[in-house]
Amino acid sequence: MPQAVTCIRDASWIIAWDVSRGEHVYRRDGDVAWADDRLVQVGGHYGGTVTREISGRDRLVMPGLIDIHCHPTQTPIFKGFVEEYGNPRLFFSGRQHFRQSFIQDSAAQYASARYGLAEMLAAGTTTIVDLSHAYPGWLDLLSQSGLRVWVGPMFRSARWWTDTGQEIKYDFAPDLGRAAFAEAVSVMAEAERHPSGRFSAMVAPAQVDTCTPELLIDSVRLAKDTGRPLFTHAAQSYAEFNGMARRHDMTSVAWLHSLDFLGERTILGHAVFTDEHPWMQWPTREDIELLAKTGTTVAHCPTVFARDGTLLHHLGAYMDAGVNIAIGTDTHPQNMLEEIRLAETLARVAAGTRHTTSTARLFHAATIGAAKLLGRDDIGRLAEGAKADIVLFDLARPEMQPLRDPLRTIVHSAAERAISDVFVDGHQVVGEGRVLTIDWPQAARALAAEQKRIGDGVADLDAIAPLSLPMLAS
Ligand SMILES: [Zn+2]
């Protein structure tokens, strides 16, 4: 079958990957063309036969973003409930109360994910790592979305909760961990066999503190045997750090290292509470160096932490030490451009005048940093031979004016509002700002109905999660 060739003709701006410099660069007034799923021209003039031509006038062409850490089954349905818990007792006890009361069934998970996948596409994300507990219809929904996906079915040995917010309690049931591991093994294999060809798998023991050492060790072995990347949540809370220190007399990061968990294909969400964090009463300063030395990636998702009044200290120090950073959303909104903006702003807040981050470093993290962990040199960049995962911005939109430096304007001002079109694997998934693969307005109505259905079954919901303003009688 002849190849379908699409060409964006004379794009005003291109964020191209310069192979020799090893960085993203601007190019002006050139073509971006792809045959089927692969780019054949980035910049300059494409002289080959074209099946579809798109005017690049007043357009910026950018590589699609990679959301390295998201939970679409959970986060969109929590909208309006969880944003303002803060951390009155240093840990998310208020949110925990909500999570123990607002229990989703698989219909609610599905509605949340369907909304969330559309939300990510509309915001210029083309690849995601979907960390979910397996649910019916998962792969079919991902396939329908058109996204490129690393499927990470999470498993763990213990249920956890907190009464005081100071200490995490666990109900270890290793057999359940085994059963969930077995299920994850089969879901991962199914994802890799999927005819869409856009799915890969990630080995995802859910949290460092909820898995038995045996389960973590088996996860390391599975990842090594299959070549899949390896993930866990670790160093993500004050209480987790202290609990792991009591359990093992080591930091969470050091303990994972002792299990051979760290490495070039390993990613930790979120490595905030390392021995570098100023709250930690711990004598060493070794965790960041350990992450750098082993080539471990950190999934940095600042919004969810900032809502609790916490932040990573500090991103520039991690980067300067050589830690590979990738960016994820972890909560709603699942908007990578807003997450990049907050990551850059908070890195400056945490570092003060010694800050060393920049828009370019954060954009690199959200594209190349993520691709490195995923073991791919053909995503997160616009270069000949790379996948046609592409985002177009309409530069004529008022949000994009004045236009001295479009990436800065996108990250610090416009975010996704000027996105006109998105392509994944050469296929169009967003056109004229509208998601084409999922009926997002309909998905939003379905999600609202599911949120109401689950919420109606929770006694005292307004006491658990009060409204932001008092409600008076009409
Ligand atoms: Zn997470």
Side-chain angles (χ1 to χ4, degrees):
M1 208 166 78
Q3 288 184 312
V5 177
T6 307
C7 181
I8 302 168
R9 193 68 83 185
D10 292 327
S12 300
W13 291 78
I14 303 166
I15 297 179
W17 179 247
D18 188 299
V19 177
S20 60
R21 296 172 67 98
E23 63 182 339
H24 293 295
V25 296
Y26 282 136
R27 301 194 66 176
R28 298 293 314 270
D29 303 319
D31 297 346
V32 175
W34 60 95
D36 294 339
D37 59 328
R38 300 266 175 192
L39 290 161
V40 292
Q41 178 101 24
V42 178
H45 177 76
Y46 181 71
T49 308
V50 168
T51 320
R52 180 187 176 194
E53 189 165 297
I54 299 167
S55 170
R57 191 159 177 262
D58 288 330
R59 289 289 186 276
L60 172 135
V61 189
M62 183 186 94
L65 300 165
I66 302 175
D67 189 333
I68 207 70
H69 185 114
C70 63
H71 308 289
T73 54
Q74 299 176 356
T75 51
I77 203 166
F78 295 158
K79 201 189 284 187
F81 286 113
V82 300
E83 294 87 346
E84 293 193 69
Y85 278 125
N87 63 346
R89 291 193 179 197
L90 289 175
F91 193 47
F92 36 89
S93 48
R95 178 176 300 117
Q96 181 63 12
H97 192 186
F98 170 74
R99 291 285 290 271
Q100 285 171 344
S101 309
F102 190 94
I103 309 288
Q104 287 176 258
D105 53 23
S106 56
Q109 287 177 320
Y110 187 91
S112 183
R114 186 157 171 265
Y115 175 95
L117 300 176
E119 178 184 40
M120 288 190 273
L121 286 168
T125 296
T126 54
T127 293
I128 67 169
V129 174
D130 182 350
L131 298 161
S132 296
H133 296 284
Y135 63 93
W138 187 7
L139 297 183
D140 289 343
L141 181 58
L142 293 176
S143 176
Q144 186 204 337
S145 76
L147 281 157
R148 188 179 306 288
V149 187
W150 266 256
V151 177
M154 292 193 293
F155 51 89
R156 61 181 168 212
S157 322
R159 199 174 62 82
W160 64 276
W161 72 99
T162 176
D163 299 322
T164 63
Q166 300 290 314
E167 179 191 7
I168 308 176
K169 295 185 171 172
Y170 303 91
D171 181 10
F172 269 91
D175 287 353
L176 286 181
R178 285 281 145 216
F181 180 81
E183 186 188 16
V185 165
S186 87
V187 172
M188 285 185 275
E190 199 186 331
E192 288 167 337
R193 283 196 309 266
H194 196 275
S196 78
R198 296 191 315 273
F199 298 165
S200 305
M202 186 176 284
V203 180
Q207 293 97 7
V208 63
D209 51 331
T210 63
C211 295
T212 62
E214 294 75 22
L215 196 61
L216 292 173
I217 289 166
D218 284 356
S219 302
V220 172
R221 190 173 303 131
L222 178 64
K224 288 208 165 116
D225 289 350
T226 55
R228 296 170 186 147
L230 176 64
F231 159 82
T232 198
H233 288 96
Q236 62 167 341
S237 76
Y238 170 89
E240 177 222 293
F241 183 100
N242 288 337
M244 293 300 283
R246 274 201 300 278
R247 217 189 272 178
H248 303 293
D249 196 26
M250 279 189 237
T251 70
S252 298
V253 170
W255 189 65
L256 284 172
H257 185 52
S258 77
L259 299 181
D260 200 24
F261 196 94
L262 305 183
E264 288 187 352
R265 301 303 307 284
T266 296
I267 179 161
L268 302 185
H270 301 274
V272 169
F273 292 94
T274 65
D275 60 12
E276 199 67 41
H277 196 283
W279 293 358
M280 296 301 120
Q281 304 285 314
W282 196 257
T284 62
R285 291 290 178 273
E286 294 168 354
D287 283 352
I288 292 180
E289 198 188 322
L290 211 46
L291 294 172
K293 192 176 75 184
T294 54
T296 304
T297 297
V298 168
H300 184 49
C301 312
T303 299
V304 73
F305 290 91
R307 283 178 183 159
D308 282 351
T310 63
L311 77 170
L312 184 144
H313 286 260
H314 58 83
L315 190 63
Y318 284 51
M319 288 175 155
D320 293 345
V323 179
N324 189 47
I325 302 292
I327 308 293
T329 51
D330 204 28
T331 184
H332 62 269
Q334 298 179 117
N335 186 315
M336 284 287 287
L337 292 166
E338 292 187 350
E339 207 71 34
I340 292 169
R341 180 196 305 164
L342 190 64
E344 163 67 343
T345 308
L346 288 182
R348 289 167 186 242
V349 171
T353 49
R354 292 176 294 115
H355 73 81
T356 59
T357 54
S358 65
T359 301
R361 280 187 114 176
L362 268 296
F363 186 70
H364 184 95
T367 51
I368 303 296
K372 184 179 175 196
L373 174 270
L374 297 171
R376 294 285 293 261
D377 61 5
D378 64 345
I379 57 174
R381 71 204 71 199
L382 298 184
E384 285 166 28
K387 286 283 190 179
D389 294 358
I390 293 169
V391 183
L392 268 71
F393 288 79
D394 180 354
L395 303 179
R397 293 269 302 227
E399 295 93 333
M400 290 303 300
Q401 298 292 328
L403 187 74
R404 174 173 178 266
D405 186 329
L407 182 63
R408 246 185 223 149
T409 298
I410 288 165
V411 167
H412 295 283
S413 297
E416 87 294 358
R417 290 189 288 276
I419 289 177
S420 58
D421 305 273
V422 180
F423 297 82
V424 180
D425 220 33
H427 295 287
Q428 187 156 16
V429 290
V430 172
E432 296 176 5
R434 198 170 61 83
V435 179
L436 302 175
T437 54
I438 292 172
D439 184 342
W440 194 16
Q442 193 278 333
R445 289 192 293 276
L447 177 61
E450 287 299 313
Q451 190 193 58
K452 183 172 186 326
R453 179 176 68 82
I454 302 290
D456 284 349
V458 179
D460 301 327
L461 188 58
D462 284 347
I464 297 170
L467 296 174
S468 55
L469 300 178
M471 177 74 80
L472 300 187
S474 56

